[in-house]
Amino acid sequence: MTLEVRDLSIRFGGVAAVTNMSLDVNAREIVGLIGPNGAGKTTFINCIAGVAQPDTGAASWNGRAILGLSPADLLRLGVARTFQSVVSLHDLTVLDLVKLGAAAHARRGRGFLSQFFGSDKAVDEEICESLLAPLNLVDVANSPIQTLSYGQRKSVDLARALACEPQLLYLDEPVAGLTFQEGLNMGAVIRSVRDRFGCSVVMVEHKMDVVMSTCDRIVVMAHGARIFEGTPAETQKDAEVRRVYLGDA
Amino acid sequence: MTKRSFLVALALAIGFAVVGFESGRFWAYLVYSVAIASIGALSLNILIGYCGQITFAQGALIGVGAYGAGIAGNAGWGAASLLVGAVCSALVSLLIGLPALRLRGLYFAISTLAAQFILNYLFKILQPLTNGVSGLVVKPLMLFGRPANDEQYAVICVGLLFLSWLVLTRIIQTNVGRAFLVVRESELVARGMGVDVARAKIQAFLLSGFFAGLCGGLIAFTSRLANPEAFEIGLSVDQTAMIIVGGLGSLGGSIIGAGFVTLLPEAIERLGELLPSADLISAFREMAFGILIILFLLLEPRGIVALARRIFARRGAAARTNLPDRASYGSGAISAQNGRKA
Ligand SMILES: Nc1ncnc2c1ncn2[C@@H]1O[C@H](COP(=O)(O)OP(=O)(O)O)[C@@H](O)[C@H]1O
Ligand SMILES: [Mg+2]
């Protein structure tokens, strides 16, 4: 159950967005990926999430090469992601989106005819209990996503990703845009998700307090490359990290 | 679909069928005209309102169904010709939709405009099949050994409209329909969520085409004629007006919009008979749809349905389904960061 990324590089025209980036993630580990804006974090996630095609490098999940696979392929292998900005998916309700998420998972997807003729009641109840309750979304289960607060939408996106029972979860700035309290809650939720599902997590985040309290290990990126790696405590102490990232003189 | 909305729809369908059957030929004509237009509007709303694929070829697509059903009907296929027409349109719709796998938004819309004109041209020149500009005379459907009359058509059309609504409502509530909505908002997000975008679009085109064809077949049988003039771009515009006025992304709204757009000319005509300046009124009739479309797009792009909901909400009837704000309709506000070099 490990993710191994080796020497991954991608350029956009003249911009080297990611350069020779390597990353290992162990089973049940939460790795924080931090770095200033434009460091290449989202681009890196996109490369290993089947959205962007890196120029060079290799990546494997449980020994299987994953570069070049589509997001749908990756979901089938148990790799899911959330989005940095949530779309205001109009008329879909929370349950709609989570059910659609579950469909990406081979075992959880229901056949068309059973959906067409059958009732969703049992499925809805199961989703409410196992996914929405831990994320405080039961009250809004039938509300259109459009009507939810930004923080709730982030939770919905997480619930959608969790619905396909991922073993590896990429979270792109799960806390950005949330209030301080919502952010702390989200950090706690991420840890409990890891404990319940036993999945590995790669999380890109800016808010240092949340990163420090949530992650087991931290990787710092700047200008498309890794500049530091260590425990939260070591990261906070490192002078170079403080200089480029934490804004010390 | 809740039990309540099902029962309400059933009651309405029975009510209109009775009105169409019992109130004489003119009412029968009004009822089946609205029902047929509604089936077309449902079909178009699936494609534009739900899946976000803007098309201008709806008129010609309905025409394909009309010719398909008419030719099959004349060859003695009876009621099954409606199915023939629907399948023909579904296949042509798929063909029209193929560019949507590469093109997006306006570019695709323009390719459908081309399809509309090409198809209409084909209706005119495929003389042996379509009988050219003068049109194909369609034998009436036989019912109980006699040609169906207007009252019977009213009942048949309302029944088929109810069935179409039921089927589409159910499909919208499966993952197939949910995928349409995500594709409409953002193809990038849809892909990232594991939705097969190409498959969703193909399904939307097939589904929408099928019901457009059913609409066309019913036009052919009720008017006993399939002629190129009936399926020009004007029909596409009427159908688009129906879903914009009724409500994009609302099946019930499609039917309300179809009623509105079909009955408005009748009402204006009545008005014209009462007033002295008949010429002016009939000229206004031509403009009315254009003005309507623009007004709704500006003021309430989600149509009468949204308008009604808002009024009810203001009256305090606890807005259970909160309305999305119109500014963000279809804006697909995803961060451009999510996968540029896709
Ligand atoms: N599709 C693209 N085209 C051009 N430049 C891009 C593209 N995607 C990302 N970049 C550039 O790559 C760099 C890294 O961006 P990004 O991965 O979004 O950073 P982060 O998520 O760490 O803030 C930035 O300089 C950004 O402008
Ligand atoms: Mg980013």
Side-chain angles (χ1 to χ4, degrees):
Chain A
M1 290 299 191
T2 55
L3 173 74
E4 284 181 31
V5 186
R6 290 284 167 275
D7 297 323
L8 195 138
S9 302
I10 181 168
R11 302 180 68 89
F12 294 109
V15 186
V18 176
T19 314
N20 287 333
M21 180 70 188
S22 297
L23 179 72
D24 285 311
V25 181
N26 300 315
R28 304 177 66 91
E29 191 181 23
I30 302 180
V31 174
L33 195 56
I34 67 173
N37 251 327
K41 307 178 297 292
T42 297
T43 307
F44 177 71
I45 294 288
N46 282 343
C47 286
I48 53 178
V51 177
Q53 185 66 45
D55 302 323
T56 58
S60 68
W61 163 240
N62 292 337
R64 232 194 111 136
I66 55 168
L67 292 184
L69 297 186
S70 72
D73 296 332
L74 287 169
L75 280 164
R76 263 172 245 124
L77 294 178
V79 183
R81 62 101 48 103
T82 63
F83 297 97
Q84 180 169 350
S85 312
V86 283
V87 224
S88 54
L89 291 165
H90 252 281
D91 303 323
L92 288 173
T93 66
V94 172
L95 276 170
D96 279 332
L97 194 66
V98 173
K99 280 185 260 190
L100 194 56
H105 184 281
R107 203 155 46 74
R108 279 219 178 195
R110 290 162 70 209
F112 174 76
L113 289 180
S114 105
Q115 295 177 60
F116 186 89
F117 290 107
S119 154
D120 276 6
K121 202 148 168 271
V123 181
D124 290 355
E125 271 165 17
E126 207 245 283
I127 289 176
C128 279
E129 194 180 318
S130 68
L131 290 171
L132 300 189
L135 292 167
N136 274 329
L137 291 170
V138 175
D139 293 342
V140 293
N142 284 304
S143 305
I145 291 163
Q146 180 72 26
T147 63
L148 306 186
S149 73
Y150 191 80
Q152 284 173 317
R153 287 188 213 168
K154 289 234 150 187
S155 300
V156 174
D157 196 30
L158 181 57
R160 190 264 312 149
L162 292 176
C164 32
E165 300 177 4
Q167 292 162 312
L168 173 61
L169 190 58
Y170 306 137
L171 306 174
D172 197 354
E173 306 209 13
V175 182
L178 302 196
T179 64
F180 179 72
Q181 192 54 47
E182 282 176 329
L184 287 186
N185 288 346
M186 184 61 98
V189 163
I190 291 168
R191 286 193 79 88
S192 76
V193 159
R194 187 269 311 269
D195 295 339
R196 270 183 56 212
F197 293 85
C199 57
S200 311
V201 178
V202 179
M203 109 182 213
V204 172
E205 192 43 68
H206 267 295
K207 292 228 173 103
M208 287 311 287
D209 43 354
V210 177
V211 174
M212 295 301 167
S213 60
T214 310
C215 300
D216 304 317
R217 187 157 54 92
I218 292 177
V219 173
V220 186
M221 277 182 87
H223 304 296
R226 171 167 54 184
I227 59 164
F228 183 83
E229 177 175 344
T231 63
E234 291 164 355
T235 310
Q236 236 161 352
K237 267 185 287 180
D238 188 81
E240 172 73 359
V241 174
R242 298 183 77 95
R243 197 180 57 74
V244 291
Y245 188 53
L246 301 177
D248 278 20
Chain B
M1 163 184 37
T2 59
K3 210 172 223 155
R4 216 190 76 198
S5 58
F6 174 80
L7 290 176
V8 168
L10 186 64
L12 282 173
I14 292 174
F16 278 108
V18 169
V19 168
F21 196 71
E22 295 291 344
S23 314
R25 278 193 69 183
F26 180 66
W27 280 95
Y29 161 76
L30 288 185
V31 166
Y32 75 62
S33 300
V34 171
I36 293 173
S38 297
I39 295 174
L42 286 175
S43 128
L44 189 62
N45 220 337
I46 289 293
L47 200 59
I48 297 183
Y50 284 88
C51 199
Q53 307 302 301
I54 296 174
T55 174
F56 294 124
Q58 178 76 355
L61 211 53
I62 291 175
V64 170
Y67 282 106
I71 292 166
N74 288 350
W77 285 57
S81 357
L82 287 172
L83 206 60
V84 174
V87 171
C88 287
S89 285
L91 295 177
V92 173
S93 174
L94 179 63
L95 218 59
I96 295 174
L98 284 183
L101 305 185
R102 304 295 308 271
L103 303 176
R104 230 160 273 168
L106 192 60
Y107 295 97
F108 172 68
I110 288 171
S111 86
T112 66
L113 196 59
Q116 163 72 35
F117 288 117
I118 294 171
L119 283 171
N120 208 271
Y121 181 65
L122 289 178
F123 296 157
K124 287 176 190 151
I125 62 160
L126 290 181
Q127 189 88 27
L129 275 177
T130 63
N131 202 25
V133 277
S134 46
L136 181 77
V137 177
V138 179
K139 286 190 210 149
L141 269 184
M142 299 303 280
L143 219 58
F144 311 118
R146 295 222 246 108
N149 60 27
D150 285 353
E151 286 85 350
Q152 288 166 331
Y153 276 133
V155 175
I156 293 173
C157 293
V158 169
L160 286 175
L161 169 60
F162 178 71
L163 269 183
S164 307
W165 173 82
L166 193 62
V167 168
L168 290 174
T169 304
R170 286 307 299 172
I171 291 180
I172 286 308
Q173 288 166 346
T174 67
N175 285 328
V176 172
R178 294 179 189 121
F180 290 171
L181 284 169
V182 184
V183 168
R184 177 187 85 190
E185 298 298 331
S186 163
E187 290 187 22
L188 272 177
V189 168
R191 210 177 98 80
M193 285 171 46
V195 169
D196 188 335
V197 175
R199 190 175 70 181
K201 286 183 183 178
I202 288 173
Q203 285 167 338
F205 279 103
L206 281 172
L207 196 61
S208 164
F210 183 89
F211 287 96
L214 182 60
C215 163
L218 290 171
I219 290 177
F221 281 117
T222 53
S223 67
R224 305 192 49 183
L225 183 73
N227 62 328
E229 231 168 74
F231 308 114
E232 278 173 355
I233 185 86
L235 181 56
S236 304
V237 174
D238 287 359
Q239 288 263 308
T240 309
M242 290 171 197
I243 63 172
I244 288 175
V245 168
L248 288 169
S250 159
L251 293 178
S254 317
I255 299 173
I256 295 172
F260 198 88
V261 170
T262 311
L263 298 180
L264 188 70
E266 298 288 342
I268 291 175
E269 213 155 286
R270 285 297 109 82
L271 205 67
E273 284 164 12
L274 296 179
L275 297 176
S277 48
D279 288 351
L280 215 70
I281 295 285
S282 67
F284 174 71
R285 188 189 137 157
E286 304 294 310
M287 268 169 34
F289 290 151
I291 294 175
L292 258 181
I293 293 182
I294 293 171
L295 277 183
F296 267 97
L297 283 179
L298 282 176
L299 302 176
E300 186 47 85
R302 308 218 66 192
I304 291 176
V305 171
L307 211 64
R309 276 194 205 144
R310 221 172 352 160
I311 290 165
F312 279 120
R314 208 169 287 156
R315 280 223 198 116
R320 265 201 323 125
T321 42
N322 292 320
L323 275 180
D325 57 336
R326 66 190 176 91
S328 53
Y329 179 76
S331 62
I334 186 201
S335 142
Q337 285 197 47
N338 287 319
R340 269 164 286 187
K341 194 178 178 183

